[in-house]
Amino acid sequence: MTGSGVLTCKELVELITDYLEGALEPRERARFEEHIDTCDGCIAYLDQFRQTIRMTGALSEESLSPQARKDLLETFRFWQRN
Amino acid sequence: MSFSSVSPRGRFVTLPPVTEVDGVSDFLSQAPGVDEKELLAGLQRGDEAAFAALVDRYAGPMLRVASTYVRDRAVAEEVVQETWIGVLRGIEGFEGRSSLKTWLFRILTNRAKTRSAQENRSVPFSALPGSAGELDEPAVDADRFFGAGHPERPGWWALPPSPWQDSSPEQRLFGREARVAIAEAISALPERQREVIALRDVEGWSSSEVCETLNLSAANQRLLLHRARSKVRSRLERLLTQGISA
């Protein structure tokens, strides 16, 4: 992604994680922001990307079953006796 | 064995209950080292309360990460159990060069990979050897953009995405269907992408923790994360677009 001139949408969608992680060079970042300021499609895309990250973080808070926890503590006691 | 000298001394640590009260879990996740040293010392001395506290802190995240490798819930629980046994075996020699958390999840991902390899012998699609050109796949289908020969807007959106919040009821976006779709999309990812997104986005680890645990460069980690997120987004887009046309 070292092209000059205006960034295309196709290029921009490949830079989103780098952008969000603050890993773009200042010039690259400027091109990114310049593009997104005027492109509704890319604004929507960036927003979807952010929502995806948020929703992935909200995956069910599954936890260990009480039985599995109990088994583990028993394993621990057994481990200590031997 | 390492814990033979245990005596019936009092409980070594008492953790405050982790509640959902403002900022408490944030505080714990941002400062995992706060009492990790104490817990580690307790564990090395064979203190059961320290062991239980560590299990309560990490078993949930461990189970969720294991679940991204193996489909079967019971197998994922076994992976978690095996990991803790690995921890008990190795704790005496643990020198703290990495954080306890990093060490734990390294054991976990190794165990989970082994189990997943066994499981996948009968699961055709994940058995595909690291799909060809994995790192070249585009974030968005090329046919969503105008081709290079387009007179005015080559490389710009031909079929732009539409904002989700306008067209999708909140419950659809954050509901059970979306969670299932995300979980499916993650479990269908190539292994390295799956590892990175599970730790970064599901568990909320920092990029340096993930790089350390999975032994990745920062740039490679970002690339894998980007591929993974792009596919999850695209899966959600399919789900949400279906919703609109239905």
Side-chain angles (χ1 to χ4, degrees):
Chain A
M1 300 291 160
T2 49
S4 54
V6 184
L7 204 62
T8 66
C9 309
K10 197 176 176 178
E11 289 167 333
L12 185 138
V13 298
E14 301 298 348
L15 297 176
I16 300 224
T17 295
D18 284 354
Y19 174 73
L20 295 174
E21 302 263 297
L24 290 179
E25 301 287 325
R27 226 169 80 194
E28 222 33 15
R29 188 177 180 86
R31 290 176 76 215
F32 185 101
E33 284 169 348
E34 205 176 304
H35 177 111
I36 210 154
D37 274 351
T38 60
C39 179
D40 288 344
C42 286
I43 289 171
Y45 188 87
L46 177 62
D47 189 56
Q48 289 185 358
F49 213 82
R50 286 198 162 115
Q51 293 200 57
T52 300
I53 296 167
R54 217 168 30 244
M55 289 159 74
T56 304
L59 277 188
S60 66
E61 283 285 310
E62 268 199 293
S63 203
L64 213 57
S65 66
Q67 185 57 48
R69 184 181 185 278
K70 207 171 139 240
D71 290 349
L72 263 176
L73 294 183
E74 264 161 32
T75 305
F76 183 79
R77 279 173 220 134
F78 176 81
W79 196 265
Q80 295 204 54
R81 281 196 304 268
N82 290 273
Chain B
M1 210 94 1
S2 42
F3 302 117
S4 49
S5 64
V6 80
S7 64
R9 72 176 89 76
R11 294 276 145 124
F12 169 63
V13 267
T14 322
L15 273 186
V18 179
T19 61
E20 294 307 312
V21 175
D22 297 344
V24 172
S25 352
D26 269 6
F27 171 73
L28 276 181
S29 66
Q30 278 161 25
V34 172
D35 51 11
E36 202 183 85
K37 281 204 176 82
E38 283 179 279
L39 291 175
L40 177 59
L43 188 58
Q44 283 174 327
R45 278 209 297 269
D47 185 274
E48 187 178 324
F51 181 73
L54 283 166
V55 167
D56 290 340
R57 176 178 298 184
Y58 289 124
M62 286 165 77
L63 185 68
R64 291 194 294 276
V65 171
S67 301
T68 66
Y69 290 85
V70 295
R71 272 142 237 254
D72 191 327
R73 158 88 192 207
V75 178
E77 288 209 342
E78 278 170 35
V79 168
V80 173
Q81 299 258 10
E82 288 166 6
T83 301
W84 285 108
I85 290 170
V87 167
L88 294 176
R89 276 209 185 100
I91 193 69
E92 205 178 11
F94 179 74
E95 287 168 7
R97 260 186 252 109
S98 60
S99 77
L100 180 62
K101 176 176 162 188
T102 307
W103 181 60
L104 247 169
F105 279 81
R106 250 189 233 144
I107 301 176
L108 178 85
T109 49
N110 285 334
R111 287 301 314 149
K113 271 185 226 177
T114 308
R115 291 303 292 262
S116 145
Q118 291 162 355
E119 214 185 31
N120 285 345
R121 270 176 214 140
S122 55
V123 183
F125 84 91
S126 340
L128 292 172
S131 56
E134 180 185 309
L135 296 182
D136 296 330
E137 55 203 342
V140 176
D141 280 349
D143 57 14
R144 299 272 304 260
F145 304 101
F146 291 121
H150 192 273
E152 282 154 38
R153 322 199 87 201
W156 289 59
W157 291 106
L159 296 165
S162 40
W164 283 343
Q165 71 272 26
D166 292 346
S167 45
S168 347
E170 192 86 328
Q171 69 265 34
R172 186 168 185 95
L173 196 48
F174 290 99
R176 190 182 143 66
E177 252 185 305
R179 287 210 304 274
V180 170
I182 294 172
E184 280 173 3
I186 291 177
S187 70
L189 291 170
E191 180 175 295
R192 305 232 86 185
Q193 295 178 20
R194 199 183 339 147
E195 291 175 329
V196 172
I197 199 173
L199 294 177
R200 280 298 308 273
D201 290 350
V202 181
E203 298 305 329
W205 289 27
S206 71
S207 74
S208 55
E209 284 175 317
V210 174
C211 289
E212 193 192 335
T213 304
L214 302 177
N215 199 18
L216 292 169
S217 72
N220 205 5
Q221 188 252 174
R222 284 197 304 273
L223 183 60
L224 292 163
L225 182 60
H226 188 66
R227 293 291 165 254
R229 286 172 170 176
S230 300
K231 281 180 227 170
V232 174
R233 187 214 64 89
S234 149
R235 178 72 186 77
L236 280 171
E237 186 180 47
R238 276 211 306 283
L239 173 78
L240 299 168
T241 313
Q242 261 170 24
I244 297 161
S245 57

